[in-house]
Amino acid sequence: MKNKVAIVSCGIIKYEGQNELGMWNDEATFKVSKMALDNVGAEKDDLDFVVISTMDGLDGITISNGLLAPAAGAYNKSSVRIETTGVHCIFSAVADILSGNSNLVMVASSDTLEMDFGYVTNFNQDVYFRGPVGFNASQSYGMLAMDYLKKHNIDEKDYARIANKNYLAGAVNPYAHINKKYSTEEIMASPYVNWPLRSLEIGKISNGAVACLIASEEKAKELTDNPVWISGIGLTSSQYLGSWKELSDMKAIKKACKKASDMAGIKDLKKEIDLMEITAPFAPFELIAMESLGFCEEGKAVDMLNNGDTSIGGTLPVNLSGGGLCTNAPNSGGLFRVVQAVKQLNNELDGVNTENMEKALVHDSDMFIGAVGGVSHGVLMLEKGE
Amino acid sequence: MQDISYNKRFEYNWDVPFKVTLGESYFRFLDGLKNKKILGNICPKCNGLHVPARPFCDKCLVEITKWYETSGIVTIESFSVTYVKFLGLPDPPHITGIVRAENAVTSFLHQIGGIPYDEPKELDEKTKIGMKLKPVWAEKRIGDIQDILYFTPVDA
Ligand SMILES: [Zn+2]
């Protein structure tokens, strides 16, 4: 990128189960936004722009921005609400900074409501073609998991191993919702929800809140000695009623990643990226995403998993946060992963050494509300350094 | 901090009536179902067959106007067997399929039924990608996607 933009501060509270936070969206948003400001000694008046990530169906109100924007410091300032994920919000923040309009932008998101996610994601479908015929997010996960299993002749136990790897990471992440080290055997013993996916291979809905401050180069240097630079960002949409080939081949991730890599000047992803956070609301999507992003050939991500490359201490740790199985927050999950990657680059994890890690990739997507058709993917490249 | 756990008491539902007119292409497709016809339309630019019929082609961003009547036989492109009860969805086990009509460039979702089994778990193996299916029509058809009750194997 020609001009530099950085993430200069984060605010986050520990994620819990549905309706377990003990506060409403606005209060949770306020807490993390204030934390992000306080961490770098900034004030509400320093903010130029506020971006909120929410979805009405996931908030239980249709004017959630009206409630949440002031909680993130937007009173009397410009603000937008984006109904897709954290990387999409950061895209908007970066655009406003690069236009010269803003120097400091707050991006915030929260989940505090208990709802029936299966029902909401059925209701999210159109009511003419997809909704009435027995479809919600869970079936879409099952389709992709089945497709990948059949195409690559891998074992159902590999899916349990991915889940186990994520649970081990989540257990040492103080912000993750699930901190239980489920073994591969326990995961294999959990019941099928959508074959071949078992209940412990699908993320349970999490509640929590997260915020980060995005700044121009000048503002970043004024506020912190510890900026994490946004070196590239790309977004791509897929087709809603496309063929299965179109829906399953993840062209949108590939394109988003290409855009972000080109912008960041990354030539060889596998050599240059040190760690990744991937939106994977069901275990095997981690493999599908790694291949689509270009970290290995099709069908080979499972080897990286089984070699331990993607585990804590591996050559390319994936989802050190515990991923979507440990923290699956529909509104704020994307921003949660961004903040986790920032903390990893800053070597702030207890008991996990990420000292020499300098470049991170964050994949984000609204696929958790339905992974086949009408999906938007985002890829964000983050970098430590001057 | 005082205990506020008693406060988890606000329960509510959304039950909001909506009305919409779908426009000519979708209407004609849904109206065709009344007469046991699965209609598609063909993009004038890429010649892609769209089933269900659509007002425009995503890839070319042009209007689609040429109509085509399919045989009604579809192929399974992907499916998911659901083993737990979800609110608003059929009782388990049920099979949600992504099916494609002839050589369409689009696919659509529907239930797959009529596959015999003793144990529900057999459905994973008995449902096959590439399987040909035919529609099972509702007795009373009103011009919506559920005029097709489900798709069932051609040789069933
Ligand atoms: Zn076309």
Side-chain angles (χ1 to χ4, degrees), chain A residues 227-258:
Chain A
V228 168
W229 301 102
I230 293 170
S231 56
I233 190 163
L235 310 176
T236 307
S237 300
S238 73
Q239 234 184 335
Y240 182 63
L241 291 166
S243 64
W244 177 249
K245 188 174 181 308
E246 193 78 37
L247 301 178
S248 62
D249 87 346
M250 301 292 145
K251 234 187 258 174
I253 299 192
K254 288 177 196 158
K255 286 219 163 169
C257 188
K258 173 86 169 66

Side-chain angles (χ1 to χ4, degrees), chain A residues 302-321:
Chain A
V302 72
D303 297 339
M304 292 177 72
L305 168 83
N306 288 330
N307 291 340
D309 296 350
T310 58
S311 304
I312 295 175
T315 51
L316 180 66
V318 177
N319 289 342
L320 282 176
S321 66

